[in-house]
Amino acid sequence: MTEPTTSAAENPYAAPAAVVGPTLSAGVVPHDAAVRELFARGKNGAAWFYWIAGLSLVNTVLVLSEGGLAFALGLVTTMIADGFAAEAALKPGGNMAVLGIALVFDAVVLGLFVVCGYLSQRRVLPVYALGMAVYLLDGVLSFMLLGASDFIGIAIHAYALWSMASGFLAYRQLNVLERQMMTMGVATPGSV
């Protein structure tokens, strides 16, 4: 007499399979609307890198022109460099080399955020995560320097990070769906 064989799905003692995001059952392909929504959410989340870089550039111009205003979404790191440069270079007899160094620093940092935005929108998830971590550190620096008195800046940093994380998770779901579709032999949108 032979023992009946049971599969892992029938075995109540088997560990459940880990599931990350939506899974595809045999022959079921996600709706175009769901996939488009994930793409849009991912792209919108990654676009925050462009907003941060652009408004940080505006903040640089405002600080160096002694405008007295600044956007809360911009980077605190570049504002610190701009503040030191304005103090050192824009006073009579000031050192213009400090201004040059600050502008090069700003260009490198803002360029990195633009590159993060570009690569994030192409679903390079390690770069996306690294960019979010750098912006989180910038928010922590803001909190350490200004404390809770900069409630608006902290709230905007938090909202931007939440939006970026939402986009990151959407792109991660898309990657899982694509891998599942490829293993099932279903054509993915980029392979047709």
Side-chain angles (χ1 to χ4, degrees):
M1 183 161 173
T2 62
E3 294 273 331
T5 59
T6 59
S7 68
E10 295 172 318
N11 185 354
Y13 302 107
V19 177
V20 178
T23 59
L24 298 175
S25 56
V28 177
V29 179
H31 295 305
D32 277 346
V35 172
R36 273 190 249 123
E37 191 273 328
L38 288 172
F39 269 115
R41 206 169 78 208
K43 188 171 180 151
N44 290 339
W48 279 92
F49 289 110
Y50 296 131
W51 280 105
I52 293 165
L55 292 176
S56 295
L57 180 62
V58 171
N59 284 346
T60 295
V61 171
L62 290 172
V63 168
L64 295 178
S65 66
E66 298 175 344
L69 296 173
F71 287 102
L73 183 62
L75 294 167
V76 172
T77 310
T78 57
M79 287 183 67
I80 292 170
D82 298 337
F84 282 130
E87 283 293 317
L90 300 179
K91 303 295 180 205
N95 187 353
M96 294 306 280
V98 174
L99 178 63
I101 291 169
L103 291 176
V104 167
F105 174 76
D106 288 353
V108 169
V109 171
L110 299 182
L112 287 173
F113 267 79
V114 169
V115 168
C116 278
Y118 178 79
L119 293 175
S120 295
Q121 287 189 334
R122 273 126 191 96
R123 294 192 299 173
V124 181
L125 295 184
V127 173
Y128 201 144
L130 180 65
M132 288 189 316
V134 169
Y135 193 60
L136 175 65
L137 290 175
D138 187 77
V140 169
L141 179 64
S142 173
F143 182 74
M144 288 173 46
L145 293 176
L146 303 173
S149 65
D150 185 29
F151 175 75
I152 293 175
I154 293 169
I156 290 176
H157 264 72
Y159 179 74
L161 281 167
W162 178 78
S163 297
M164 288 181 206
S166 175
F168 178 84
L169 292 174
Y171 276 162
R172 197 165 143 216
Q173 275 185 305
L174 278 173
N175 288 348
V176 168
L177 285 173
E178 281 185 351
R179 280 193 300 274
Q180 289 173 346
M181 289 171 71
M182 283 191 284
T183 59
M184 290 174 44
V186 178
T188 58
S191 67
V192 177

